[in-house]
Amino acid sequence: MGDTTIKISESIRDRLRTLAEERGLSTRAYVERVVAATPTEAERAKRTARAIAYVRANLREDFTEADVREAQEWRAAIASGQLGERR
């Protein structure tokens, strides 16, 4: 495995170290875990397409693109704190 140096601010470096320590990990292991668990846009699109296909096949045959957009807007509003509480 090769090593790579990434230049980040001291405050972010310190935050990474703290987050890693809270989880009992090295900074390297923590960064690897977070990056490995974060899907790319292509992976998210594929997962979304599978979920929509499942909903249409098993729950609502009439699930439309408008329904998808509404759900995405609702999720974005929750994530941005405009709706509900984030836990």
Side-chain angles (χ1 to χ4, degrees):
M1 177 182 341
D3 286 340
T4 300
T5 300
I6 300 172
K7 302 226 181 256
I8 57 174
S9 68
E10 287 183 23
S11 63
I12 294 299
R13 180 206 58 208
D14 294 344
R15 181 172 174 81
L16 281 170
R17 185 177 296 138
T18 299
L19 290 167
E21 287 173 356
E22 289 176 351
R23 289 154 180 81
L25 298 169
S26 67
T27 302
R28 178 185 191 141
Y30 177 71
V31 169
E32 288 176 352
R33 181 180 287 185
V34 169
V35 171
T38 304
T40 64
E41 286 300 317
E43 291 166 338
R44 285 173 28 102
K46 190 174 183 179
R47 185 169 53 192
T48 298
R50 284 195 318 262
I52 291 168
Y54 178 87
V55 169
R56 287 184 178 142
N58 297 288
L59 303 172
R60 265 192 67 195
E61 291 178 11
D62 62 342
F63 193 66
T64 67
E65 291 304 315
D67 294 323
V68 172
R69 280 191 303 280
E70 183 180 353
Q72 290 170 333
E73 290 168 3
W74 181 65
R75 183 182 184 284
I78 291 170
S80 69
Q82 295 172 344
L83 294 175
E85 289 185 22
R86 195 150 190 199
R87 295 180 190 189

Coordinates of all heavy atoms in Angstrom, one line a residue:
M1 N 0.9 -1.2 0.0 CA 0.0 0.0 0.0 C 0.9 1.2 0.0 O 1.8 1.3 0.8 CB -0.9 0.0 1.3 CG -1.8 1.2 1.4 SD -2.8 1.3 2.9 CE -2.9 -0.4 3.5
G2 N 0.6 2.1 -0.9 CA 1.4 3.4 -1.0 C 0.9 4.4 0.0 O -0.3 4.4 0.4
D3 N 1.7 5.3 0.4 CA 1.3 6.4 1.2 C 1.1 7.7 0.3 O 1.8 7.9 -0.7 CB 2.4 6.8 2.2 CG 2.5 5.7 3.4 OD1 1.5 5.0 3.5 OD2 3.5 5.7 4.0
T4 N 0.2 8.5 0.7 CA -0.1 9.7 0.1 C -0.2 10.8 1.1 O -0.8 10.6 2.2 CB -1.5 9.6 -0.7 OG1 -1.4 8.6 -1.7 CG2 -1.8 10.9 -1.4
T5 N 0.3 12.0 0.8 CA 0.2 13.1 1.7 C -0.8 14.0 1.1 O -0.8 14.4 -0.1 CB 1.6 13.9 1.7 OG1 2.6 12.9 2.2 CG2 1.5 15.1 2.6
I6 N -1.7 14.5 2.0 CA -2.8 15.4 1.6 C -2.6 16.6 2.5 O -2.5 16.5 3.7 CB -4.2 14.8 1.8 CG1 -4.3 13.5 0.9 CG2 -5.2 15.8 1.5 CD1 -5.6 12.8 1.2
K7 N -2.5 17.8 1.9 CA -2.4 19.0 2.6 C -3.7 19.5 3.1 O -4.6 19.8 2.2 CB -1.6 20.1 1.8 CG -0.3 19.6 1.3 CD 0.7 20.6 1.5 CE 2.1 20.1 1.0 NZ 3.0 19.7 2.0
I8 N -3.9 19.6 4.4 CA -5.1 20.2 5.0 C -4.7 21.1 6.1 O -3.6 21.2 6.5 CB -6.0 19.0 5.5 CG1 -5.3 18.2 6.6 CG2 -6.5 18.1 4.4 CD1 -6.1 17.2 7.3
S9 N -5.7 21.9 6.5 CA -5.4 22.9 7.5 C -5.2 22.2 8.9 O -5.6 21.0 9.1 CB -6.6 23.9 7.7 OG -7.7 23.2 8.2
E10 N -4.5 22.8 9.8 CA -4.2 22.3 11.1 C -5.5 22.0 11.8 O -5.6 20.9 12.5 CB -3.3 23.2 11.9 CG -1.9 23.2 11.5 CD -1.0 24.1 12.3 OE1 -1.4 24.4 13.5 OE2 0.0 24.6 11.9
S11 N -6.5 22.8 11.7 CA -7.8 22.6 12.4 C -8.5 21.4 11.9 O -9.0 20.6 12.7 CB -8.7 23.8 12.3 OG -9.1 24.1 11.0
I12 N -8.4 21.1 10.6 CA -9.1 19.9 10.1 C -8.3 18.7 10.5 O -8.8 17.6 10.9 CB -9.2 20.0 8.6 CG1 -10.2 21.1 8.2 CG2 -9.7 18.6 8.0 CD1 -11.6 20.9 8.8
R13 N -6.9 18.8 10.5 CA -6.1 17.7 10.9 C -6.4 17.3 12.4 O -6.6 16.1 12.7 CB -4.6 18.1 10.8 CG -3.7 16.9 11.2 CD -2.3 17.4 11.7 NE -2.5 18.4 12.8 CZ -1.6 19.4 13.1 NH1 -0.6 19.6 12.4 NH2 -1.9 20.2 14.1
D14 N -6.5 18.3 13.2 CA -6.8 18.1 14.6 C -8.2 17.5 14.8 O -8.4 16.6 15.6 CB -6.7 19.4 15.4 CG -5.3 19.9 15.5 OD1 -4.3 19.2 15.2 OD2 -5.1 21.1 15.8
R15 N -9.1 17.9 14.0 CA -10.5 17.4 14.1 C -10.5 15.9 13.6 O -11.1 15.1 14.3 CB -11.5 18.2 13.2 CG -12.9 17.7 13.2 CD -13.8 18.7 12.5 NE -15.1 18.2 12.4 CZ -16.0 18.2 13.3 NH1 -15.7 18.8 14.5 NH2 -17.2 17.7 13.2
L16 N -9.8 15.6 12.5 CA -9.7 14.2 12.1 C -9.1 13.3 13.2 O -9.6 12.2 13.5 CB -8.8 14.1 10.9 CG -9.5 14.4 9.5 CD1 -8.5 14.5 8.4 CD2 -10.6 13.4 9.2
R17 N -8.1 13.8 13.8 CA -7.4 13.1 14.9 C -8.4 12.8 16.1 O -8.5 11.7 16.6 CB -6.2 13.8 15.4 CG -5.4 13.1 16.5 CD -4.1 13.8 16.9 NE -3.2 13.9 15.8 CZ -2.5 15.0 15.5 NH1 -2.6 16.1 16.2 NH2 -1.7 15.0 14.5
T18 N -9.1 13.9 16.4 CA -10.1 13.7 17.5 C -11.2 12.7 17.2 O -11.6 11.8 17.9 CB -10.8 15.1 17.9 OG1 -9.7 16.0 18.3 CG2 -11.8 15.0 18.9
L19 N -11.8 12.9 15.9 CA -12.8 11.9 15.5 C -12.3 10.5 15.5 O -13.0 9.6 15.9 CB -13.3 12.3 14.1 CG -14.1 13.6 14.0 CD1 -14.3 14.1 12.6 CD2 -15.5 13.4 14.7
A20 N -11.1 10.3 15.0 CA -10.5 9.0 15.0 C -10.3 8.4 16.4 O -10.7 7.3 16.7 CB -9.1 9.0 14.3
E21 N -9.7 9.2 17.3 CA -9.5 8.8 18.7 C -10.8 8.4 19.4 O -10.9 7.4 20.1 CB -8.8 9.9 19.5 CG -7.3 10.0 19.1 CD -6.6 11.2 19.7 OE1 -7.3 12.0 20.4 OE2 -5.4 11.4 19.5
E22 N -11.9 9.2 19.1 CA -13.2 8.9 19.7 C -13.7 7.5 19.3 O -14.5 6.9 20.0 CB -14.2 9.9 19.4 CG -14.0 11.3 20.0 CD -15.0 12.3 19.6 OE1 -15.7 12.1 18.6 OE2 -14.9 13.4 20.2
R23 N -13.2 7.0 18.2 CA -13.7 5.7 17.6 C -12.6 4.6 17.8 O -12.8 3.5 17.3 CB -14.0 5.9 16.1 CG -15.3 6.7 16.0 CD -15.4 7.4 14.6 NE -16.6 8.2 14.5 CZ -16.8 9.4 15.0 NH1 -15.9 10.0 15.7 NH2 -18.0 10.0 14.8
G24 N -11.6 5.0 18.5 CA -10.5 4.0 18.8 C -9.7 3.6 17.5 O -9.2 2.5 17.4
L25 N -9.6 4.6 16.6 CA -8.9 4.3 15.3 C -7.7 5.3 15.2 O -7.7 6.4 15.8 CB -9.9 4.5 14.1 CG -11.1 3.6 14.1 CD1 -12.0 4.2 13.0 CD2 -10.7 2.2 13.8
S26 N -6.8 4.9 14.3 CA -5.8 5.8 13.9 C -6.4 6.8 12.9 O -7.5 6.5 12.3 CB -4.6 5.1 13.2 OG -5.1 4.6 11.9
T27 N -5.8 7.9 12.7 CA -6.3 8.9 11.7 C -6.4 8.3 10.3 O -7.4 8.4 9.6 CB -5.5 10.2 11.7 OG1 -5.4 10.7 13.0 CG2 -6.0 11.2 10.7
R28 N -5.4 7.5 10.0 CA -5.4 6.9 8.7 C -6.6 5.9 8.5 O -7.3 5.9 7.5 CB -4.1 6.1 8.5 CG -4.0 5.3 7.2 CD -2.7 4.5 7.2 NE -2.5 4.0 5.9 CZ -1.3 3.9 5.3 NH1 -0.2 4.4 5.9 NH2 -1.2 3.4 4.1
A29 N -6.8 5.1 9.6 CA -7.9 4.1 9.5 C -9.2 4.8 9.5 O -10.1 4.3 8.7 CB -7.8 3.1 10.7
Y30 N -9.3 5.9 10.2 CA -10.6 6.6 10.2 C -10.9 7.2 8.8 O -12.0 7.1 8.3 CB -10.6 7.7 11.2 CG -11.8 8.6 11.2 CD1 -13.0 8.1 11.6 CD2 -11.8 9.9 10.7 CE1 -14.2 8.8 11.6 CE2 -12.9 10.6 10.7 CZ -14.1 10.1 11.1 OH -15.3 10.9 11.1
V31 N -9.9 7.9 8.2 CA -10.1 8.5 6.9 C -10.4 7.4 5.9 O -11.3 7.5 5.0 CB -8.8 9.2 6.4 CG1 -8.9 9.6 5.0 CG2 -8.7 10.5 7.3
E32 N -9.7 6.2 5.9 CA -10.0 5.1 5.0 C -11.4 4.6 5.2 O -12.1 4.4 4.2 CB -9.0 4.0 5.2 CG -7.6 4.3 4.7 CD -6.6 3.2 4.9 OE1 -6.9 2.3 5.7 OE2 -5.5 3.4 4.4
R33 N -11.9 4.5 6.4 CA -13.2 4.0 6.7 C -14.3 5.0 6.1 O -15.3 4.6 5.5 CB -13.4 3.8 8.2 CG -14.8 3.3 8.5 CD -15.0 3.1 10.0 NE -14.3 1.9 10.4 CZ -14.3 1.4 11.7 NH1 -15.1 2.0 12.6 NH2 -13.6 0.4 12.0
V34 N -14.1 6.3 6.4 CA -15.1 7.3 6.0 C -15.1 7.3 4.4 O -16.2 7.3 3.8 CB -14.7 8.7 6.5 CG1 -15.5 9.8 5.9 CG2 -14.9 8.7 8.0
V35 N -14.0 7.3 3.8 CA -14.0 7.4 2.3 C -14.6 6.2 1.7 O -15.3 6.2 0.8 CB -12.5 7.7 1.8 CG1 -12.5 7.6 0.3 CG2 -12.1 9.1 2.3
A36 N -14.2 5.0 2.3 CA -14.8 3.7 1.7 C -16.3 3.7 1.9 O -17.0 3.1 1.1 CB -14.1 2.6 2.4
A37 N -16.8 4.3 2.9 CA -18.3 4.2 3.2 C -19.0 5.3 2.5 O -20.3 5.3 2.5 CB -18.5 4.3 4.7
T38 N -18.4 6.3 1.9 CA -19.1 7.4 1.2 C -19.2 7.1 -0.3 O -18.3 6.9 -1.0 CB -18.3 8.7 1.4 OG1 -18.0 8.9 2.7 CG2 -19.0 9.9 0.7
P39 N -20.5 6.9 -0.7 CA -20.7 6.5 -2.1 C -20.4 7.7 -3.1 O -20.6 8.9 -2.7 CB -22.2 6.2 -2.2 CG -22.8 6.9 -1.0 CD -21.8 7.1 0.0
T40 N -20.0 7.3 -4.3 CA -19.8 8.3 -5.3 C -21.2 8.7 -5.9 O -22.2 8.0 -5.6 CB -18.9 7.7 -6.5 OG1 -19.7 6.6 -7.1 CG2 -17.6 7.2 -6.0
E41 N -21.2 9.7 -6.7 CA -22.5 10.1 -7.3 C -23.0 8.9 -8.2 O -24.2 8.7 -8.2 CB -22.3 11.4 -8.1 CG -22.2 12.6 -7.3 CD -23.4 12.9 -6.4 OE1 -24.5 12.7 -6.8 OE2 -23.2 13.3 -5.2
A42 N -22.2 8.3 -8.9 CA -22.6 7.1 -9.7 C -23.2 6.0 -8.9 O -24.2 5.4 -9.2 CB -21.4 6.6 -10.6
E43 N -22.5 5.7 -7.7 CA -23.1 4.7 -6.8 C -24.4 5.1 -6.2 O -25.3 4.3 -6.1 CB -22.1 4.4 -5.7 CG -20.8 3.7 -6.2 CD -19.7 3.8 -5.2 OE1 -19.6 4.6 -4.3 OE2 -18.8 2.9 -5.3
R44 N -24.5 6.4 -5.9 CA -25.8 6.9 -5.3 C -26.9 6.8 -6.4 O -28.0 6.4 -6.1 CB -25.7 8.3 -4.8 CG -24.9 8.4 -3.5 CD -24.6 9.9 -3.1 NE -25.5 10.9 -3.6 CZ -26.5 11.4 -2.8 NH1 -26.7 11.1 -1.6 NH2 -27.3 12.4 -3.3
A45 N -26.6 7.2 -7.6 CA -27.6 7.1 -8.7 C -28.0 5.7 -8.9 O -29.2 5.4 -9.1 CB -27.0 7.7 -10.0
K46 N -27.1 4.7 -8.9 CA -27.4 3.3 -9.1 C -28.3 2.8 -7.9 O -29.3 2.1 -8.2 CB -26.1 2.5 -9.2 CG -26.3 1.1 -9.6 CD -24.9 0.4 -9.8 CE -25.0 -1.0 -10.3 NZ -23.7 -1.6 -10.5
R47 N -28.0 3.2 -6.7 CA -28.8 2.8 -5.5 C -30.2 3.4 -5.6 O -31.1 2.7 -5.3 CB -28.0 3.2 -4.3 CG -28.7 2.7 -3.0 CD -27.9 2.9 -1.8 NE -27.4 4.3 -1.6 CZ -26.4 4.6 -0.8 NH1 -25.9 3.8 0.0 NH2 -26.1 5.9 -0.7
T48 N -30.2 4.6 -6.0 CA -31.5 5.3 -6.2 C -32.4 4.6 -7.2 O -33.6 4.3 -7.0 CB -31.4 6.8 -6.5 OG1 -30.6 7.4 -5.4 CG2 -32.7 7.5 -6.7
A49 N -31.8 4.3 -8.3 CA -32.5 3.6 -9.4 C -33.0 2.2 -8.9 O -34.2 1.9 -9.2 CB -31.6 3.4 -10.6
R50 N -32.2 1.5 -8.2 CA -32.7 0.2 -7.6 C -33.8 0.4 -6.6 O -34.8 -0.4 -6.6 CB -31.5 -0.5 -6.9 CG -30.5 -1.2 -7.9 CD -29.6 -2.2 -7.2 NE -29.1 -1.7 -5.9 CZ -27.9 -1.2 -5.7 NH1 -27.1 -1.0 -6.7 NH2 -27.5 -0.8 -4.5
A51 N -33.7 1.4 -5.8 CA -34.8 1.7 -4.8 C -36.1 2.1 -5.5 O -37.2 1.6 -5.2 CB -34.4 2.8 -3.9
I52 N -36.0 2.9 -6.6 CA -37.2 3.3 -7.3 C -37.8 2.1 -8.0 O -39.1 1.9 -8.0 CB -36.9 4.4 -8.3 CG1 -36.6 5.7 -7.6 CG2 -38.0 4.6 -9.3 CD1 -35.9 6.7 -8.5
A53 N -37.0 1.2 -8.6 CA -37.5 0.0 -9.2 C -38.2 -0.9 -8.2 O -39.3 -1.5 -8.5 CB -36.4 -0.7 -9.9
Y54 N -37.6 -1.0 -7.0 CA -38.3 -1.8 -6.0 C -39.6 -1.2 -5.6 O -40.6 -2.0 -5.4 CB -37.3 -1.9 -4.7 CG -38.0 -2.7 -3.6 CD1 -37.8 -4.0 -3.6 CD2 -38.8 -2.0 -2.6 CE1 -38.4 -4.8 -2.5 CE2 -39.4 -2.8 -1.6 CZ -39.2 -4.1 -1.6 OH -39.8 -4.9 -0.6
V55 N -39.7 0.1 -5.4 CA -41.0 0.7 -5.0 C -42.0 0.4 -6.0 O -43.1 0.1 -5.7 CB -40.8 2.2 -4.7 CG1 -42.1 2.9 -4.6 CG2 -39.9 2.4 -3.5
R56 N -41.6 0.6 -7.3 CA -42.6 0.4 -8.4 C -43.0 -1.1 -8.5 O -44.2 -1.3 -8.8 CB -42.0 0.9 -9.7 CG -41.9 2.4 -9.8 CD -41.4 2.9 -11.1 NE -41.5 4.3 -11.2 CZ -40.5 5.1 -11.8 NH1 -39.5 4.5 -12.4 NH2 -40.7 6.4 -11.8
A57 N -42.1 -2.0 -8.2 CA -42.4 -3.4 -8.4 C -43.2 -3.9 -7.2 O -44.0 -4.8 -7.3 CB -41.2 -4.2 -8.5
N58 N -43.0 -3.4 -6.0 CA -43.5 -4.0 -4.8 C -44.5 -3.1 -4.0 O -45.3 -3.6 -3.2 CB -42.4 -4.4 -3.9 CG -41.5 -5.4 -4.5 OD1 -41.9 -6.6 -4.6 ND2 -40.3 -5.1 -4.9
L59 N -44.5 -1.8 -4.2 CA -45.3 -0.9 -3.3 C -46.3 -0.1 -4.1 O -47.4 0.1 -3.7 CB -44.4 -0.1 -2.5 CG -43.4 -0.8 -1.6 CD1 -42.4 0.2 -0.9 CD2 -44.1 -1.6 -0.6
R60 N -45.8 0.6 -5.2 CA -46.6 1.5 -5.9 C -46.3 1.5 -7.4 O -45.3 2.1 -7.8 CB -46.4 3.0 -5.4 CG -47.4 3.4 -4.3 CD -47.3 4.9 -4.1 NE -47.8 5.7 -5.2 CZ -47.5 7.0 -5.3 NH1 -46.9 7.6 -4.4 NH2 -47.9 7.6 -6.3
E61 N -47.0 0.8 -8.2 CA -46.8 0.8 -9.6 C -46.8 2.2 -10.2 O -46.2 2.4 -11.2 CB -47.8 -0.1 -10.3 CG -47.6 -1.6 -9.9 CD -48.6 -2.5 -10.6 OE1 -49.3 -2.0 -11.5 OE2 -48.7 -3.7 -10.2
D62 N -47.6 3.1 -9.7 CA -47.8 4.4 -10.2 C -46.8 5.4 -9.7 O -47.1 6.6 -9.8 CB -49.2 4.9 -10.0 CG -49.6 5.0 -8.6 OD1 -48.9 4.4 -7.7 OD2 -50.6 5.7 -8.3
F63 N -45.7 5.0 -9.1 CA -44.7 5.9 -8.6 C -44.1 6.7 -9.7 O -43.5 6.1 -10.6 CB -43.7 5.1 -7.8 CG -42.7 5.9 -6.9 CD1 -43.2 6.5 -5.8 CD2 -41.4 5.9 -7.2 CE1 -42.3 7.2 -5.0 CE2 -40.5 6.6 -6.4 CZ -41.0 7.3 -5.3
T64 N -44.2 8.0 -9.7 CA -43.8 8.8 -10.9 C -42.5 9.5 -10.6 O -42.0 9.6 -9.5 CB -44.9 9.8 -11.2 OG1 -44.9 10.8 -10.1 CG2 -46.2 9.2 -11.4
E65 N -42.0 10.1 -11.6 CA -40.8 11.0 -11.5 C -41.1 12.2 -10.6 O -40.2 12.7 -9.9 CB -40.2 11.4 -12.9 CG -39.6 10.3 -13.7 CD -38.5 9.5 -12.9 OE1 -37.6 10.2 -12.3 OE2 -38.5 8.3 -13.0
A66 N -42.3 12.7 -10.7 CA -42.7 13.8 -9.8 C -42.6 13.3 -8.3 O -42.2 14.1 -7.4 CB -44.1 14.2 -10.1
D67 N -43.0 12.1 -8.0 CA -42.9 11.5 -6.7 C -41.4 11.5 -6.2 O -41.1 11.8 -5.1 CB -43.5 10.1 -6.6 CG -45.0 10.1 -6.8 OD1 -45.7 11.1 -6.4 OD2 -45.5 9.2 -7.4
V68 N -40.6 11.1 -7.2 CA -39.2 11.0 -6.9 C -38.6 12.4 -6.5 O -37.9 12.6 -5.5 CB -38.4 10.4 -8.0 CG1 -36.9 10.5 -7.8 CG2 -38.8 8.9 -8.3
R69 N -38.9 13.4 -7.4 CA -38.5 14.8 -7.1 C -39.0 15.3 -5.8 O -38.2 15.9 -5.0 CB -38.9 15.7 -8.2 CG -38.1 15.6 -9.5 CD -38.4 16.7 -10.5 NE -39.7 16.7 -10.9 CZ -40.3 15.9 -11.8 NH1 -39.5 15.0 -12.4 NH2 -41.6 16.0 -12.2
E70 N -40.3 15.0 -5.5 CA -40.8 15.5 -4.2 C -40.1 14.8 -3.0 O -39.8 15.5 -2.0 CB -42.3 15.1 -4.1 CG -43.0 15.6 -2.9 CD -44.5 15.3 -2.8 OE1 -45.0 14.7 -3.8 OE2 -45.1 15.5 -1.8
A71 N -39.8 13.5 -3.1 CA -39.0 12.9 -2.1 C -37.6 13.4 -1.9 O -37.2 13.6 -0.8 CB -39.0 11.4 -2.3
Q72 N -37.0 13.7 -3.0 CA -35.6 14.3 -3.0 C -35.7 15.7 -2.4 O -34.8 16.1 -1.6 CB -35.0 14.3 -4.4 CG -34.7 13.0 -4.9 CD -34.3 13.0 -6.4 OE1 -34.7 13.8 -7.2 NE2 -33.5 12.0 -6.8
E73 N -36.7 16.5 -2.7 CA -36.8 17.8 -2.1 C -37.1 17.7 -0.6 O -36.5 18.5 0.2 CB -37.9 18.6 -2.8 CG -37.6 19.0 -4.2 CD -38.8 19.5 -5.0 OE1 -39.9 19.6 -4.4 OE2 -38.7 19.8 -6.2
W74 N -37.9 16.8 -0.2 CA -38.2 16.6 1.2 C -36.9 16.2 2.0 O -36.6 16.7 3.0 CB -39.3 15.5 1.3 CG -39.8 15.2 2.6 CD1 -40.4 16.0 3.5 CD2 -39.6 13.9 3.3 NE1 -40.7 15.3 4.7 CE2 -40.2 14.0 4.6 CE3 -39.1 12.7 3.0 CZ2 -40.3 13.0 5.5 CZ3 -39.1 11.6 3.9 CH2 -39.7 11.8 5.1
R75 N -36.2 15.2 1.4 CA -34.9 14.8 2.0 C -33.9 15.9 2.1 O -33.3 16.1 3.2 CB -34.3 13.6 1.2 CG -33.1 13.1 1.9 CD -32.5 12.0 1.0 NE -31.3 11.4 1.6 CZ -30.1 11.9 1.7 NH1 -29.9 13.1 1.2 NH2 -29.1 11.3 2.3
A76 N -33.8 16.7 1.1 CA -32.9 17.9 1.1 C -33.3 18.9 2.2 O -32.5 19.4 2.9 CB -32.8 18.5 -0.2
A77 N -34.6 19.1 2.3 CA -35.1 20.0 3.4 C -34.8 19.5 4.8 O -34.4 20.3 5.6 CB -36.6 20.3 3.2
I78 N -35.0 18.2 5.0 CA -34.6 17.7 6.3 C -33.1 17.8 6.5 O -32.7 18.2 7.6 CB -35.1 16.2 6.3 CG1 -36.6 16.1 6.4 CG2 -34.5 15.5 7.6 CD1 -37.1 14.7 6.2
A79 N -32.3 17.4 5.5 CA -30.9 17.5 5.7 C -30.4 18.9 6.0 O -29.4 19.1 6.7 CB -30.2 16.9 4.5
S80 N -31.0 19.9 5.4 CA -30.6 21.3 5.6 C -31.2 21.9 6.9 O -30.8 23.0 7.2 CB -31.0 22.1 4.4 OG -32.4 22.3 4.3
G81 N -32.0 21.2 7.6 CA -32.6 21.7 8.8 C -33.8 22.5 8.6 O -34.3 23.1 9.6
Q82 N -34.4 22.5 7.4 CA -35.6 23.3 7.2 C -36.8 22.5 7.7 O -37.8 23.2 8.0 CB -35.7 23.6 5.7 CG -34.7 24.5 5.1 CD -34.7 24.6 3.6 OE1 -35.4 23.8 2.9 NE2 -34.1 25.6 3.1
L83 N -36.7 21.2 7.8 CA -37.9 20.4 8.3 C -37.4 19.5 9.4 O -36.3 18.9 9.3 CB -38.5 19.5 7.2 CG -39.2 20.3 6.0 CD1 -39.6 19.2 5.0 CD2 -40.4 21.0 6.5
G84 N -38.2 19.3 10.3 CA -37.9 18.2 11.4 C -36.6 18.5 12.1 O -36.0 19.5 12.0
E85 N -36.3 17.5 12.9 CA -35.0 17.6 13.7 C -34.1 16.5 13.2 O -34.5 15.4 12.9 CB -35.3 17.3 15.2 CG -36.0 18.5 15.8 CD -36.2 18.2 17.3 OE1 -35.4 17.4 17.9 OE2 -37.1 18.8 17.9
R86 N -32.8 16.8 13.1 CA -31.8 15.9 12.7 C -31.2 15.2 14.0 O -30.9 15.9 14.9 CB -30.7 16.6 11.9 CG -29.9 15.6 11.2 CD -29.3 16.2 10.0 NE -28.7 15.2 9.3 CZ -27.9 15.3 8.3 NH1 -27.5 16.5 8.0 NH2 -27.4 14.3 7.7
R87 N -31.2 13.9 14.0 CA -30.7 13.2 15.2 C -29.3 12.8 15.0 O -28.8 12.6 14.0 CB -31.6 12.0 15.4 CG -32.9 12.4 15.8 CD -33.8 11.2 16.0 NE -35.2 11.7 16.2 CZ -36.1 10.9 16.6 NH1 -35.9 9.6 16.8 NH2 -37.3 11.3 16.7

